[in-house]
Amino acid sequence: MSVLNLTAVSLGKKIQAGELSAVEATQEVLAQVERVEKDVHSYVSYDGEAALKRAKEVQQLIDEKKLTHPLAGVPVAIKDNMCTKGVTTTCSSKILSNFVPPYSSTAVEKLEAAGAIMIGKTNMDEFAMGSTTETSAYGITRNPWNLDHVPGGSSGGSCAAVAANEAIYALGSDTGGSIRQPSSFCGVTGIKPTYGTVSRFGLIAYGSSLDQIGPVAKDVRDCATILSTISGYDSKDSTSIKREDYDFNQYLGQDIKGLRIGVPKGYFKEGLDKEVADHVLSLAKTLEAQGAVVEEFDLSLVEYAIPAYYVIADAEASSNLERFDGVKYGYRAKEYNGLHDMIKKSRSQGFGPEVKRRIMLGSFVLSSGYYDAYYLKALRTKALIVKAFDEAFAKYDVILAPAAPTTAPKIGSSLADPIKMYLGDIYTISVNLAGLPGITVPVGKDKNGLPIGAQLIGNRFREDVLFKAAYAYEQTKTYEMCDLAQKGVN
Ligand code: GLN
């Protein structure tokens, strides 16, 4: 069986058992990158030579029994907003085109300690602002299921890489849905953990109060194993949290009898594609047959989540992106007249249109005359959304929702209308505002063969319920690979 058919955990097992070497696994993945990358463009950059060198070192440690982690020797793709020591980290922006970080993000360091082999850095919307991976300064990524469609965003490169077998698993980041929505569009599994579970140290900030790193993989077990590896308290991130449970594999296979699933009525009304709705609801039926109790309820304030999110995220972004001034690192304009002109030109030339729009919007809502009217109001709305979820979780263990209102749109159709694109985040962003965990699992395909994902949302620190429910559902399905991903598989 080809390496490309395997999940991360099953590949790791074969490597530990000596059936395969880390070098062979890496070679197969690199060959697949050579075959499909020109069509998909999952990566901003990749380095086959470095990956093979690393695979040899890791294999030696495995041979010496010094590396026994389940992910040792398994090839991974990293979203290009996570700092990687000595490896260019661009955030898919021109302004960071030449940025080589002197340190790695904590999540990447933890994967490296586990013996992961990094293939490359994945494409994304510039500074993670977008829902299609079309705002990247380095070209678009295509959906491996249909190259005329977007992979979603902003972790579109990571999700496309996993779907196209250009990596066995990947890391993404999620500020308002950027793991869950592209996972849905690309037919893979992705989880955004509870805020504070994975360190944000070395993750280039977009909206600091919302950003979380999480796994993208072929199945729920992989996600549990990856999350167990990258999570943990980190004194370098002041929002990092000490949890009791970091072994998420223990929840797989637990009985779901009596699990209370809440289905927000308002989520399944107008605006949601009928095929998406039917497939998402089929997950509830499957779990009901296994003993779960499904009930509809009203999750209020849904319609206020989008404006609140875009005010808060953009406010934080405008402040976070102040540091890119052409002085300390990154792109600097070639010609300028004094310091102010240098900063102005570097930023004007270095940032793309979507990032500029957000910086302007964010600066506006934070400005003295409008702070109360917009920013403060958004924070109050956020508090009400948190309360609405708290009330829901008093009654339910898990909430079932779509990850996006449609399947992947055609390339070029979203950017023309940014407001419409923002509205597409309706099912994911309130989860970030409330700091909750959410997992997307593939549930089927639409009539055009594009994947549909369902989202399970849990209460804070209740990833246990998500893993239990998602795993129980997954046992009733088989993972489906797209034609393109099968190119190199035999
Ligand atoms: N689409 C949302 C935005 O543009 C979410 C992006 C994200 O989660 N990084 O802000």
Side-chain angles (χ1 to χ4, degrees):
M1 190 196 245
S2 162
V3 162
L4 305 181
N5 269 325
L6 301 172
T7 62
V9 170
S10 48
L11 173 57
K13 254 194 203 129
K14 284 191 189 295
I15 293 174
Q16 288 295 335
E19 289 169 40
L20 252 167
S21 75
V23 178
E24 286 163 326
T26 306
Q27 279 166 339
E28 272 211 48
V29 170
L30 287 172
Q32 177 74 347
V33 173
E34 286 305 315
R35 273 189 292 266
V36 304
E37 178 62 4
K38 60 182 182 314
D39 294 324
V40 184
H41 188 43
S42 300
Y43 290 103
V44 173
S45 64
Y46 64 92
D47 186 344
E49 238 172 75
L52 282 173
K53 182 166 170 274
R54 163 90 177 141
K56 278 186 199 133
E57 290 162 10
V58 165
Q59 186 57 46
Q60 185 160 356
L61 292 171
I62 292 170
D63 292 341
E64 292 165 3
K65 305 263 177 278
K66 288 184 185 147
L67 250 182
T68 54
H69 193 281
L71 297 175
V74 181
V76 61
I78 304 288
K79 187 173 179 180
D80 209 19
N81 59 352
M82 287 168 227
C83 286
T84 39
K85 189 176 174 180
V87 177
T88 310
T89 300
T90 68
C91 253
S92 283
S93 181
K94 182 177 169 185
I95 209 153
L96 284 178
S97 51
N98 57 2
F99 175 55
V100 182
Y103 58 86
S104 284
S105 57
T106 298
V108 168
E109 258 182 6
K110 282 181 179 251
L111 280 187
E112 273 173 358
I117 315 288
M118 187 176 83
I119 299 294
K121 305 294 296 287
T122 57
N123 201 15
M124 52 185 279
D125 284 294
E126 186 178 0
F127 282 100
M129 297 170 187
S131 308
T132 62
T133 312
E134 291 172 293
T135 71
S136 166
Y138 303 104
I140 60 168
T141 296
R142 292 172 185 273
N143 191 316
W145 290 86
N146 184 332
L147 297 173
D148 294 330
H149 290 252
V150 302
S154 64
S155 308
S158 289
C159 295
V162 174
N165 282 335
E166 292 190 87
I168 304 295
Y169 71 100
L171 289 190
S173 71
D174 191 312
T175 305
S178 278
I179 289 175
R180 291 159 289 150
Q181 181 256 37
S183 290
S184 173
F185 286 0
C186 291
V188 294
T189 303
I191 179 166
K192 178 204 99 70
T194 304
Y195 185 76
T197 299
V198 178
S199 168
R200 290 184 299 109
F201 178 75
L203 169 70
I204 297 173
Y206 162 16
S208 315
S209 75
L210 307 159
D211 300 339
Q212 267 296 282
I213 293 173
V216 174
K218 285 179 191 162
D219 71 0
V220 177
R221 183 181 296 282
D222 275 7
C223 281
T225 304
I226 300 157
L227 188 59
S228 302
T229 310
I230 61 173
S231 57
Y233 173 72
D234 184 6
S235 59
K236 289 188 244 156
D237 170 5
S238 62
T239 58
S240 169
I241 285 168
K242 274 198 187 99
R243 292 179 59 143
E244 302 284 311
D245 63 332
Y246 286 115
D247 172 16
F248 298 104
N249 279 303
Q250 60 178 309
Y251 307 120
L252 308 180
Q254 284 185 358
D255 196 359
I256 62 145
K257 223 175 167 81
L259 185 88
R260 297 163 304 168
I261 303 178
V263 178
K265 264 187 259 162
Y267 277 16
F268 291 86
K269 287 196 176 135
E270 72 268 22
L272 177 65
D273 189 281
K274 171 89 172 63
E275 276 186 289
V276 174
D278 291 347
H279 275 96
V280 172
L281 291 172
S282 75
L283 183 145
K285 288 195 198 93
T286 305
L287 293 187
E288 205 169 25
Q290 295 183 31
V293 183
V294 182
E295 205 179 281
E296 285 192 336
F297 75 107
D298 273 315
L299 183 62
S300 57
L301 300 160
V302 177
E303 65 269 39
Y304 301 111
I306 290 178
Y309 168 84
Y310 276 96
V311 167
I312 293 170
D314 291 357
E316 293 182 18
S318 72
S319 162
N320 278 325
L321 269 54
E322 264 171 30
R323 71 193 69 172
F324 305 109
D325 52 12
V327 176
K328 300 180 283 292
Y329 38 67
Y331 172 81
R332 181 179 294 174
K334 302 278 165 300
E335 283 167 31
Y336 47 85
N337 217 335
L339 179 67
H340 279 109
D341 193 45
M342 188 278 282
I343 294 175
K344 202 163 131 188
K345 287 209 172 107
S346 299
R347 286 171 69 85
S348 301
Q349 295 165 15
F351 288 131
E354 184 62 30
V355 175
K356 284 179 188 158
R357 179 166 26 240
R358 308 250 182 145
I359 292 174
M360 286 193 284
L361 225 130
S363 308
F364 175 76
V365 298
L366 287 178
S367 59
S368 62
Y370 297 98
Y371 183 92
D372 289 359
Y374 294 103
Y375 186 63
L376 214 56
K377 208 176 255 174
L379 288 184
R380 289 199 184 112
T381 310
K382 172 181 155 154
L384 290 173
I385 289 169
V386 170
K387 195 163 157 265
F389 273 115
D390 284 348
E391 283 164 12
F393 285 118
K395 286 191 282 176
Y396 307 109
D397 299 307
V398 63
I399 294 173
L400 173 65
T406 62
T407 50
K410 273 222 157 102
I411 287 164
S413 65
S414 303
L415 284 196
D417 187 351
I419 302 285
K420 190 166 163 227
M421 188 176 82
Y422 297 168
L423 292 177
D425 297 334
I426 177 90
Y427 303 116
T428 47
I429 52 184
S430 51
V431 174
N432 300 72
L433 286 171
L436 307 172
I439 189 167
T440 293
V441 286
V443 286
K445 293 212 268 12
D446 71 4
K447 57 181 177 305
N448 300 316
L450 287 164
I452 298 169
Q455 184 186 191
L456 292 167
I457 303 163
N459 204 352
R460 251 156 269 127
F461 309 114
R462 296 309 304 271
E463 279 82 356
D464 59 329
V465 184
L466 297 189
F467 280 123
K468 190 161 102 171
Y471 187 79
Y473 173 75
E474 194 182 67
Q475 297 316 298
T476 67
K477 311 270 287 182
T478 41
Y479 179 75
E480 214 183 316
M481 236 187 255
C482 62
D483 290 346
L484 194 101
Q486 291 181 24
K487 256 190 158 178
V489 179
N490 43 51

